[in-house]
Amino acid sequence: MIYAERDENGNIIALRNNPVEPDQQEISTEELETFLSEYDQNKTISAFFRKLDNEVIRVLDDLVDLLVMKNIIKITDLPEQAQQKLGNRKRIRSKIQDNCILDEDEIL
């Protein structure tokens, strides 16, 4: 869900993954499209979708880990390239967590 943070005039000033106020409603698709169309198409929208993609990738990493842990799949069931990519991400995430380079909210 995407929530809009608004100024005193009701104009959207930021998009959030979580509500910033109690009982805040999700932004409508039409309003989101209007907001995004008012900004530089090459920078704002691309950055917005990169962040969303990174969040989905993190969810998929965790999903694969859960499926392996519950013995629903084996990591070796995945193609070799997928195994390597997941392994690389896991090693990097582990090193970063050990060194506390990123905050908890940052996604890797």
Side-chain angles (χ1 to χ4, degrees):
M1 294 187 153
I2 300 173
Y3 299 89
E5 184 176 341
R6 300 175 187 275
D7 65 14
E8 60 278 350
N9 297 321
N11 299 314
I12 299 172
I13 57 172
L15 298 176
R16 308 272 182 206
N17 289 329
N18 298 306
V20 292
E21 299 174 6
D23 300 324
Q24 186 173 6
Q25 298 293 315
E26 179 181 12
I27 188 172
S28 71
T29 303
E30 296 81 19
E31 195 173 24
L32 175 62
E33 288 173 357
T34 300
F35 174 76
L36 292 175
S37 69
E38 292 173 1
Y39 289 88
D40 181 359
Q41 295 284 325
N42 294 327
K43 294 182 182 175
T44 304
I45 292 175
S46 295
F48 178 73
F49 280 105
R50 269 193 310 276
K51 181 174 180 355
L52 290 178
D53 289 348
N54 287 339
E55 291 172 355
V56 170
I57 290 168
R58 178 65 189 266
V59 169
L60 292 174
D61 282 347
D62 293 343
L63 176 62
V64 169
D65 287 345
L66 178 65
L67 293 173
V68 169
M69 183 179 71
K70 291 187 172 257
N71 293 318
I72 295 171
I73 65 169
K74 297 176 187 163
I75 197 72
T76 54
D77 293 341
L78 300 172
E80 182 66 31
Q81 287 183 333
Q83 292 176 46
Q84 289 173 356
K85 289 175 184 177
L86 288 168
N88 289 340
R89 282 185 55 82
K90 185 176 277 215
R91 280 188 292 283
I92 292 169
R93 281 172 60 189
S94 176
K95 286 180 182 181
I96 288 172
Q97 286 174 347
D98 291 345
N99 294 326
C100 298
I101 294 172
L102 299 176
D103 294 333
E104 263 183 43
D105 292 337
E106 293 186 87
I107 299 205
L108 180 69

